[in-house]
């Protein structure tokens, strides 16, 4: 599902998020990306959904080479992805239901299927009572749940989740982890960036640890397997 070969990312500010990074993720794998603040987790995910271009190296997602010269069709690759951003990227002028149904409307689903799928997503995230509420009237945790529901409603083959449970309580975090595990068992690939080492201990999966930047750029990024 994901192949990254010798990928480096240096921002115009000359900050290097990571360099010479290799990663392969098979279809149906669940992978944690962890590491301290500023170690490059979000940069890595943004490269995988084509919001950021690497400075060098090759990135292939679902057989599509995002790094081919002149590639401008990241939006097509994103169709098969459920993306959860740390800042949620919700439509502030729309209500909860509209934020979730919008994705399916863009994809051309028939109205009846949209109604059914959105209903299921609302139930899944415990938002059925809030469907007509505006995004701005929700707590941050509720907004995060909308963002997760919106990512899941399109049955993505790949979920790219950047700190998706950062402000959820233990019960809702457990619920999200159960949903993700069930999706993985059905073949969904999940890349989950988190700083939360307790979460990784509690739900052991293959874990990639990014190291904090040192002078001269990141070195020694590597893979550890969580126990259990
Ligand atoms: N848009 C950007 N412009 C310049 N530097 C950035 C940008 N985004 C991230 N960085 C820098 O790249 C490094 C990695 O950031 P990030 O990927 O957000 O790490 P993490 O998600 O692990 O906290 C940090 O030093 C950060 O300051
Ligand atoms: Mg981040």
């Amino acid at each position: 599902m994901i192949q990254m070969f010798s990928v480096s990312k240096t921002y115009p500010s000359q900050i290097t998020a990571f360099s010479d990074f290799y990663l392969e993720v098979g279809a149906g794998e669940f992978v944690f990306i962890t590491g301290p603040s500023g170690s490059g987790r979000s940069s890595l995910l943004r490269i995988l959904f084509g919001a950021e271009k690497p400075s060098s190296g090759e990135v292939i997602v679902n057989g599509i080479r995002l790094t081919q010269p002149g590639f401008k069709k990241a939006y097509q690759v994103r169709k098969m992805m459920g993306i959860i951003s740390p800042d949620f990227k919700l439509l502030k002028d729309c209500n909860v239901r509209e934020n979730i149904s919008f994705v399916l409307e863009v994809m051309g689903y028939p109205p009846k299927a949209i109604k059914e799928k959105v209903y299921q997503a609302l139930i899944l995230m415990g938002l059925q009572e809030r469907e007509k509420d505006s995004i701005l009237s929700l707590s941050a945790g509720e907004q995060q749940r909308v963002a997760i529901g919106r990512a899941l409603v399109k049955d993505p083959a790949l979920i790219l989740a950047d700190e998706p449970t950062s402000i959820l309580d233990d019960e809702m975090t457990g619920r999200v982890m159960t949903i993700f595990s069930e999706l993985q068992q059905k073949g969904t690939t999940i890349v989950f960036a988190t700083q939360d080492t307790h979460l990784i201990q509690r739900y052991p999966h293959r874990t990639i640890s990014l190291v904090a930047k040192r002078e001269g750029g990141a070195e020694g990024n590597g893979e550890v397997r969580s126990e259990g």
Side-chain angles (χ1 to χ4, degrees), residues 160-203:
L160 297 174
D162 195 349
E163 311 277 353
T165 56
S166 59
I167 44 178
L168 300 183
D169 60 31
D170 283 351
E171 192 195 330
M172 190 48 74
T173 298
R175 194 152 146 185
V176 170
M177 296 312 289
T178 303
I179 294 167
F180 280 9
S181 294
E182 286 169 3
L183 288 173
Q184 188 214 351
Q185 275 153 30
K186 288 187 205 153
T188 309
T189 311
I190 299 168
V191 179
F192 189 124
T194 181
Q195 233 176 335
D196 184 347
T197 48
H198 297 295
L199 188 78
I200 295 175
Q201 275 163 13
R202 242 178 107 194
Y203 303 95

Side-chain angles (χ1 to χ4, degrees), residues 11 13 15-17 36-44 46 52 213:
Y11 287 100
S13 58
I15 289 175
T16 296
S37 183
S39 60
R41 292 159 297 143
S42 295
S43 300
L44 187 68
R46 287 201 302 270
E52 201 92 70
K213 229 179 356 287

Side-chain angles (χ1 to χ4, degrees), residues 3-145:
Q3 293 165 295
M4 300 179 83
F5 301 108
S6 191
V7 175
S8 301
K9 178 66 187 177
T10 299
Y11 287 100
S13 58
Q14 297 307 312
I15 289 175
T16 296
F18 45 81
S19 57
D20 199 24
F21 181 80
Y22 288 78
L23 175 67
E24 287 200 301
V25 179
E29 265 196 271
F30 188 131
V31 180
F32 279 124
I33 308 285
T34 190
S37 183
S39 60
R41 292 159 297 143
S42 295
S43 300
L44 187 68
L45 261 63
R46 287 201 302 270
I47 285 172
L48 290 176
F49 63 81
E52 201 92 70
K53 284 208 180 294
S55 313
S56 61
E58 293 289 349
V59 179
I60 300 167
V61 179
N62 200 28
I64 298 169
R65 194 172 145 223
L66 303 186
T67 39
Q68 61 189 289
F71 183 73
K72 290 205 172 60
K73 297 197 168 160
Y75 68 92
Q76 286 189 351
V77 188
R78 274 182 221 148
K79 277 187 197 158
M80 48 73 73
M81 296 177 178
I83 299 164
I84 305 164
S85 295
D87 58 353
F88 316 145
K89 301 222 182 324
L90 299 171
L91 304 168
K92 299 282 191 311
D93 298 331
C94 297
N95 67 29
V96 169
R97 161 173 290 277
E98 289 159 347
N99 264 276
I100 298 176
S101 63
F102 168 73
V103 181
L104 300 178
E105 283 159 17
V106 170
M107 290 174 80
Y109 276 67
K112 204 172 156 216
I114 293 178
K115 204 172 167 203
E116 181 57 30
K117 289 186 77 64
V118 172
Y119 176 72
Q120 283 168 4
L122 289 167
I123 299 271
L124 205 59
M125 298 316 300
L127 290 166
Q128 62 274 29
E129 313 275 294
R130 310 301 306 268
E131 61 169 319
K132 294 203 174 83
D133 291 345
S134 84
I135 290 301
L136 295 174
S137 73
L138 302 183
S139 72
E142 287 162 345
Q143 292 186 22
Q144 190 160 40
R145 279 149 59 189

